[in-house]
Amino acid sequence: MAAMVGGEAELNYTVHIAENPRFVFVSNPICACSTLKATLNLSVARAIGKTDFHIENAEMIHKRAANLLLTPYQLGYSRFEAMLDDPDVPLFAFVRSPQSRFLSAWRKKLSRETQFTRKVRAHLGIDPDVPLADFLTLDAFAIGVAADSDLRDLDEHWRLQRKQIFFDELPRLTLGFVESFDADSARILGGIFGHDDYFLCDAVRLNPNNASGNRKSGSDLSKIASADIARAYAADSEMIASARSQINESEMR
């Protein structure tokens, strides 16, 4: 699993574990990630009666040392593996349409000079003095990830979601969808905490710059870019279609 997300440190950053109530959450960036991390921490605090736990800023959401949720290392890898195998432990992640996720990731991380553009420059061998607009437009990046799977999986924010959430390694994994976030939060989190006992945090309030109004549908993509993204992330589309079909079948029973 660690190899799929770039190493042990990344595995421990990605996986969030609670023992009371028990669950394992696999975070997936650009998929209501901040909202889910904050919600889960605050809901666990409420469940265990920890009244002095607060999330005061966006940095605290992503700083694992400030979280109540454990990493696999903190829990112990043998206990972590046991939780993954235990059918009574909820195991879940949220996913999103590849096109809208890609568009949001590019806008947030790659449309201006950032640590993420430096990562792409290094991968492509582009000198720092080459203007971003010369090689990292939205269309150019879509072409790039379609042609180069290593570029596609270079960073968690645009990595193939199927890899990021260990979908093929975790057959018990339950999926929620950003496109139906409220309903799926109720379905998944309500089952863990009780339908009136989880606290849905508005992470955007803590970090307005992270708002996914930014969460556009992908309609701003050119036809060429949309087609390239569809090719690059075909496995994600298959995963999402399969998961939705299974949910629909279970609801019809």
Side-chain angles (χ1 to χ4, degrees):
M1 288 174 65
M4 299 182 77
V5 292
E8 185 178 359
E10 288 77 8
L11 170 68
N12 279 285
Y13 183 73
T14 298
V15 177
H16 304 253
I17 306 164
E19 294 188 283
N20 181 23
R22 296 199 300 167
F23 65 80
V24 177
F25 166 61
V26 183
S27 66
N28 186 20
I30 318 293
C31 292
C33 179
S34 297
T35 290
L36 285 162
K37 289 179 182 180
T39 291
L40 291 169
N41 273 282
L42 291 168
S43 298
V44 166
R46 175 182 288 183
I48 64 177
K50 191 170 178 58
T51 58
D52 61 345
F53 179 79
H54 306 284
I55 295 178
E56 298 171 354
N57 53 58
E59 183 181 359
M60 283 185 67
I61 295 175
H62 300 286
K63 189 175 181 180
R64 296 306 304 270
N67 287 188
L68 293 180
L69 303 185
L70 301 175
T71 68
Y73 176 80
Q74 289 170 325
L75 181 71
Y77 290 123
S78 61
R79 291 176 67 190
F80 170 54
E81 291 175 3
M83 289 184 78
L84 292 180
D85 292 335
D86 187 340
D88 292 328
V89 177
L91 169 62
F92 65 98
F94 273 68
V95 296
R96 181 178 182 180
S97 154
Q99 277 83 2
S100 64
R101 182 174 185 258
F102 184 89
L103 177 59
S104 186
W106 184 83
R107 281 180 168 153
K108 290 180 179 180
K109 307 300 180 183
L110 299 173
S111 61
R112 64 191 185 284
E113 292 288 358
T114 64
Q115 60 179 311
F116 302 99
T117 60
R118 291 193 290 274
K119 215 173 179 181
V120 172
R121 284 182 187 274
H123 178 80
L124 297 176
I126 305 291
D127 290 337
D129 58 345
V130 175
L132 208 58
D134 286 1
F135 73 97
L136 200 52
T137 64
L138 181 58
D139 281 8
F141 193 55
I143 291 169
V145 297
D148 181 356
S149 61
D150 288 337
L151 176 62
R152 182 200 65 192
D153 295 335
L154 184 65
D155 185 86
E156 62 179 351
H157 293 88
W158 60 85
R159 181 177 293 134
L160 190 73
Q161 294 175 80
R162 194 169 187 137
K163 291 182 69 172
Q164 178 65 27
I165 64 172
F166 316 112
F167 182 77
D168 295 298
E169 315 303 315
L170 302 175
R172 289 200 309 109
L173 190 68
T174 293
L175 296 188
F177 307 94
V178 169
E179 291 81 2
S180 50
F181 183 76
D182 289 344
D184 290 340
S185 294
R187 170 171 58 89
I188 297 171
L189 304 188
I192 294 171
F193 297 100
H195 287 281
D196 296 321
D197 293 322
Y198 68 90
F199 178 83
L200 195 58
C201 176
D202 180 10
V204 172
R205 179 181 58 81
L206 297 174
N207 185 11
N209 291 330
N210 200 38
S212 267
N214 294 337
R215 283 184 194 149
K216 293 194 176 180
S217 65
S219 58
D220 287 1
L221 296 168
S222 69
K223 290 183 179 179
I224 293 174
S226 187
D228 284 323
I229 294 164
R231 282 195 296 274
Y233 297 95
D236 281 348
S237 296
E238 292 167 7
M239 171 187 71
I240 290 168
S242 174
R244 284 196 179 279
S245 176
Q246 290 178 16
I247 291 169
N248 291 337
E249 287 176 9
S250 69
E251 289 177 345
M252 291 174 64
R253 292 188 192 123

